[in-house]
Amino acid sequence: MKRKHPLRRVMIGIAATASGVVLLLALKQPGTTVAEASAGSQVPPGGSASAAGGQTVLGDAAGTQYGDVQVQLTLSGGRITGAQAVKAPDADANSRQIAASAIPKLNQAVMAAQSADIDAVSGASYTSKGYITSLQSALDKAGAAAPGAGASGGTGSGEAAAPPPAADPGAGKDPGAGEDPGAGADPGAGADPGSGAGAGDAAPKTVLGDVADTQYGPVQVKITVSGGRITAADAVKAPNSDANSRQIAANAVPKLNQAAVTAQSAGIDAVSGASYTSKGYITSLQSAIDKAGL
C-alpha cells in the first residue's frame, strides 16, 4: 500500500488541473477568438475607394520611338475628373524634357475636352500621339469613349492652332549667318510622321517635303494641311551629328515649326545662331508646300 500512495497523489493532481482548465474555459468571454478578430479587419468586397474618389481606369501603354506613354483617368458622374501619364518617354534627357513640358498641357486638354479629341503639343508629336492613343484606350475601358482618338483643331487645347511668334526676325536666311557648327536636333524634338495632330478639318492632308542636305546633316519637314491652310509643321529629320548640333536644333526646330504655321508659307526668318538648319528647314518646307499645291 505504501508503494501506491505516490500514484494516488499524481492522479489527484491531474484531476485538479483538468478542473481548473474547465473552469477557465467556462469563464472565457465570447467574441474574442482570433478567427473573429481577423474577420472584423477584412475589407468588404468592392471597397469604398471608388465611391469616395471616382472610378480609376488605366489605359494601355502606347509605344513610341522614345519610350512608352500610359494614361490613367479618374471618372466620376460620367465626367473625367483627373488625367495623368503614369509612363512617359524617357529614352534620353531631351525626351524627358519634352515630356515634362508636354504632359501637363495634354492633361489639361483632356479635362477641357472630356474626350481624346485633343491637339498635339507643338514640338512633342511622338509623346502627344502616344498619349492620345493610351487616353482613348482608357476611355474605351471606362465605357465613355469619345469619337476620334486623334487630334483636331476644335478643342482649343493645342499649340499648333495658335502658335507663338516666329524666331528672331533679324536672323535672316543666309546660310552663313554664324550658325554654331553642328546645328541639328534630337529626333524626339520634331514631329511624329503621320500624326496629323492640330488639324482643323475632319480629313487633314499630311505632306512630306523633300530632304534638304546641310553641312551638318539632312533636314526634312512635314506639314499638315486642312481647308487650304497649314495647320501643323514639323521637322521629321534634323542634323544630329554631335551634342552641340542637337542642342542648337532642339532650340531652333520648334521655333521654325511655329513660324511656318504663323506665316502660312516658307517665307520665314532663320533662327539666330542656327542658319544651316534654318536654310535646310525652309528648303524642305517649300518642297512640302509645293507638293500640297498651296
Side-chain angles (χ1 to χ4, degrees):
M1 294 298 292
K2 290 183 180 180
R3 291 182 180 179
K4 295 181 180 180
H5 184 68
L7 179 60
R8 185 182 305 166
R9 288 184 179 180
V10 170
M11 295 301 294
I12 293 173
I14 291 173
T17 301
S19 300
V21 170
V22 172
L23 180 62
L24 286 174
L25 290 174
L27 294 175
K28 186 173 180 61
Q29 295 299 318
T32 59
T33 65
V34 173
E36 290 172 353
S38 298
S41 65
Q42 292 175 358
V43 178
S48 60
S50 295
Q55 178 189 11
T56 299
V57 182
L58 187 63
D60 295 335
T64 77
Q65 185 173 343
Y66 301 99
D68 292 345
V69 183
Q70 189 169 24
V71 177
Q72 178 178 286
L73 295 179
T74 302
L75 302 100
S76 180
R79 289 183 59 80
I80 301 171
T81 57
Q84 62 176 322
V86 296
K87 288 184 180 179
D90 61 353
D92 51 45
N94 191 51
S95 298
R96 290 190 290 273
Q97 182 178 358
I98 291 170
S101 172
I103 293 298
K105 296 174 184 177
L106 292 166
N107 292 341
Q108 293 169 1
V110 173
M111 298 294 291
Q114 290 293 304
S115 74
D117 191 19
I118 61 174
D119 289 325
V121 173
S122 178
S125 297
Y126 283 107
T127 298
S128 298
K129 184 179 181 181
Y131 185 102
I132 292 168
T133 299
S134 181
L135 167 62
Q136 186 63 56
S137 168
L139 287 171
D140 291 342
K141 290 181 180 181
S152 78
T155 64
S157 63
E159 298 171 18
D168 184 359
K173 300 172 199 172
D174 182 358
E179 178 178 12
D180 194 356
D186 186 328
D192 184 10
S195 66
D201 192 281
K205 177 171 65 173
T206 299
V207 182
L208 192 63
D210 295 335
V211 175
D213 291 321
T214 76
Q215 183 176 344
Y216 302 102
V219 181
Q220 189 173 26
V221 177
K222 179 205 74 176
I223 61 173
T224 303
V225 179
S226 179
R229 289 182 58 81
I230 300 171
T231 57
D234 304 291
V236 297
K237 286 186 180 180
N240 61 351
S241 57
D242 54 41
N244 190 47
S245 299
R246 291 190 290 272
Q247 182 177 358
I248 291 172
N251 174 62
V253 168
K255 295 177 182 177
L256 292 165
N257 292 340
Q258 294 161 4
V261 177
T262 300
Q264 289 294 303
S265 73
I268 61 176
D269 290 324
V271 174
S272 179
S275 298
Y276 286 107
T277 297
S278 297
K279 183 180 181 182
Y281 184 101
I282 292 167
T283 299
S284 183
L285 171 61
Q286 185 61 65
S287 169
I289 290 173
D290 293 342
K291 291 180 180 181
L294 297 179

